[in-house]
Amino acid sequence: MRRVAPFALFTVVAVAAAGLTFRNAAARQQPARAGALALVGGTLIDGNGGVPIRNSVILVSDGRITAVGRVGTLAVPAGATVISTEGMTVLPGLFESHAHLMLVGHGDYAHWDKTYPARLQKDVIPVAARQSLMHGVTSLRDLGGPLEPIMDVKRKIDRGELVGATIYTSGPFLQHAPYPGTEAFRWGVSGVEDARAKVRTLAAAGVSVIKLIDQDEMTMDEVRAVVDEAHAHKLPVVAHAHRPEEIRRGLAAGVDDFEHTGLATAWEYPADIVEGLRARAAQGNKPPLFWTPTIDVLTNYMARRDDPEYIDDPRWYEGLPDDIAADVKRSISHIDTLSYFRFVPNRKPTLANKFRQLRQTGVRLLVGTDAGVPANFHGYATPEEMITWVRTYGMDPMETIRAATYWPALSLNVLDKVGTIDPGKAADIIAVRGNPLTDITVLRRVELVVKSGKRVR
């Protein structure tokens, strides 16, 4: 018997109580392999959206989940290492859907881009990926960075040579023209054939997604060429949504996911955009239209600006070489002076209305944070985004959790590998003490992280 499908309309309780025992009978009959784990006792939120499973048992072998059940119905194989999750909630590892691993919170982009390119591969990107993992982020979507340094770190993590979150990257941004000094990670597009050629280059390098920005400065033919070529290579396309015309062009071209909320100071999204989003979201024969709001960095800017201890927290700099850590800390010592946040006080009043509009259109929201931008730190930012969704904007806690587990995996076509706690998937599992469905803030205090079947925290 298989666990009930995520989109089914009936309850999963019967499956959790009875079917799991049957389907996992083989796991109870054999001794554990070397390195096998059993997570025993906690309440399981598996990412599928059903009723949490109390007194859960999760068996792990060879880096994958082999069985899921309950204490008393699913036995732990002899020789397995038992990890007690009593008193905890167990969840799939979190998925950060908008991070920049080439950045670690520095306040001056021009200085950073000039000073640290040669150190990104060794001293920055691996640290950002590890920081993410230690906060329970087992997978992340990196949207905009130099291709080879990020791909090198990605491959090393995949091979187990480095400890860090699994990276799904776009490599460089695609846009009309790179900003001065950013050519290594922003690729200009000049004409339809150039657009297609750059997408083919990225696809051949092994990226997982294509990132479009400033598409309102490109010709419509160029935008369509990027999207069509990406889709021909089975790569989703994400696009900036700072300005209304970016959204209109993205909708017309068929992008898969929009990024950000609230850069413009307009009180709401224009009516034609709202109707366009609603129409696209209603197309049941297509995959969902996704939107990654990255809303917490704007919502809580003023609280962090006014907290002198926020910048001093040593967690933000852990793993960075001393000189880089000192430079980052110095650059954000007065975040109220940073151009990045110049217009945030004017934008903040618009955020609640725009978040409400997005939810009402039916687009599928993803948890992403813009981690790495000034004073917004890897790993830390992901639970903060989730907390803001629930406590400030009224999002349902279960759907918020799924927006950081199930839906990101679906958006990248890797739901067969990650995103839920189901047999056959990678054993990317976290546990927190307490219940995030009643107190979402417990996600700030991850006590257990298992990545690919190995306990790393």
Side-chain angles (χ1 to χ4, degrees):
M1 181 181 292
R2 297 177 61 85
R3 182 175 298 185
V4 71
F7 294 106
L9 300 179
F10 49 88
T11 183
V12 300
V13 174
V15 177
L20 289 168
T21 304
F22 176 77
R23 80 174 176 190
N24 296 316
R28 299 198 305 273
Q29 302 301 318
Q30 300 176 6
R33 293 187 180 186
L37 299 179
L39 282 63
V40 179
T43 296
L44 172 62
I45 298 175
D46 64 11
N48 288 306
V51 177
I53 301 171
R54 300 190 182 280
N55 299 314
S56 65
V57 177
I58 305 166
L59 303 183
V60 174
S61 182
D62 294 329
R64 299 199 168 274
I65 299 163
T66 59
V68 181
R70 280 198 174 106
V71 174
T73 62
L74 177 59
V76 175
T81 298
V82 175
I83 299 174
S84 174
T85 55
E86 290 286 358
M88 301 185 197
T89 301
V90 183
L91 308 96
L94 301 180
F95 209 124
E96 163 62 64
S97 286
H98 192 125
H100 295 285
L101 292 173
M102 68 169 288
L103 304 170
V104 286
H106 199 282
D108 184 342
Y109 285 154
H111 170 78
W112 184 265
D113 294 342
K114 180 175 64 175
T115 306
Y116 295 109
R119 300 181 66 179
L120 297 179
Q121 192 163 336
K122 179 178 181 292
D123 293 331
V124 175
I125 296 171
V127 172
R130 183 182 178 88
Q131 287 177 342
S132 299
L133 182 61
M134 293 302 116
H135 284 81
V137 175
T138 56
S139 300
L140 63 82
R141 192 174 64 173
D142 177 86
L143 294 180
L147 182 59
E148 183 49 39
I150 289 176
M151 290 302 300
D152 177 69
V153 175
K154 169 185 168 54
R155 291 188 290 262
K156 287 176 179 175
I157 290 172
D158 290 346
R159 294 193 298 262
E161 298 169 17
L162 292 173
V163 175
T166 298
I167 299 170
Y168 301 88
T169 188
S170 67
F173 304 83
L174 296 184
Q175 59 190 107
H176 172 64
Y179 313 146
T182 68
E183 292 81 2
F185 55 91
R186 295 179 183 273
W187 289 1
V189 169
S190 180
V192 168
E193 288 308 311
D194 187 49
R196 290 186 177 275
K198 285 187 166 64
V199 172
R200 288 194 293 269
T201 298
L202 292 170
V207 303
S208 303
V209 62
I210 299 297
K211 172 75 178 290
L212 261 177
I213 70 166
D214 296 345
Q215 61 269 20
D216 53 346
E217 298 177 3
M218 301 167 68
T219 70
M220 198 61 224
D221 285 343
E222 289 170 340
V223 176
R224 286 197 176 96
V226 168
V227 175
D228 291 348
E229 190 68 29
H231 288 171
H233 288 85
K234 301 188 184 306
L235 295 174
V237 179
V238 303
H240 265 196
H242 284 321
R243 299 181 293 274
E245 190 59 26
E246 285 185 304
I247 304 171
R248 293 187 182 102
R249 292 189 175 210
L251 282 170
V255 304
D256 305 284
D257 180 1
F258 288 102
E259 307 298 301
H260 305 306
T261 306
L263 183 60
T265 56
W267 183 251
E268 61 185 7
Y269 292 110
D272 68 304
I273 286 176
V274 171
E275 289 307 309
L277 294 174
R278 185 177 287 117
R280 171 72 181 277
Q283 294 178 344
N285 61 329
K286 291 186 176 181
L289 175 62
F290 297 98
W291 194 298
T292 311
T294 68
I295 202 168
D296 174 73
V297 67
L298 303 178
T299 302
N300 288 311
Y301 154 68
M302 286 177 279
R304 291 164 189 154
R305 176 197 67 189
D306 299 337
D307 177 7
E309 296 305 318
Y310 175 71
I311 300 304
D312 291 338
D313 194 321
R315 291 179 298 171
W316 314 151
Y317 315 104
E318 186 174 351
L320 290 172
D322 290 345
D323 63 320
I324 295 180
D327 192 14
V328 172
K329 188 174 181 179
R330 182 169 52 250
S331 75
I332 54 177
S333 58
H334 298 286
I335 62 175
D336 57 305
T337 66
L338 301 181
S339 60
Y340 185 88
F341 294 111
R342 182 178 300 155
F343 299 111
V344 170
N346 301 105
R347 294 168 185 148
K348 183 176 178 179
T350 75
L351 298 178
N353 198 42
K354 289 174 180 174
F355 195 83
R356 175 188 57 79
Q357 282 184 298
L358 291 175
R359 293 177 65 187
Q360 290 176 344
T361 66
V363 300
R364 183 59 60 183
L365 300 182
L366 301 178
V367 169
T369 67
D370 229 1
V373 302
N376 197 37
F377 302 104
H378 293 281
Y380 155 85
T382 308
E384 292 302 315
E385 181 84 9
M386 299 171 75
I387 291 164
T388 294
W389 283 24
V390 173
R391 298 182 71 179
T392 303
Y393 300 114
M395 190 77 167
D396 174 71
M398 180 65 86
E399 278 307 301
T400 300
I401 290 168
R402 297 188 80 212
T405 54
Y406 178 94
W407 292 111
L410 182 67
S411 78
L412 286 170
N413 300 313
V414 293
L415 188 58
D416 59 329
K417 299 178 177 67
V418 293
T420 65
I421 295 179
D422 283 304
K425 294 191 177 182
D428 291 354
I429 303 167
I430 66 171
V432 296
R433 193 163 298 280
N435 182 359
L437 298 181
T438 58
D439 179 9
I440 194 71
T441 66
V442 301
L443 292 173
R444 287 174 172 151
R445 300 177 294 278
V446 174
E447 295 200 10
L448 169 71
V449 179
V450 174
K451 170 78 187 305
S452 300
K454 296 180 180 180
R455 183 171 185 174
V456 296
R457 176 171 180 174

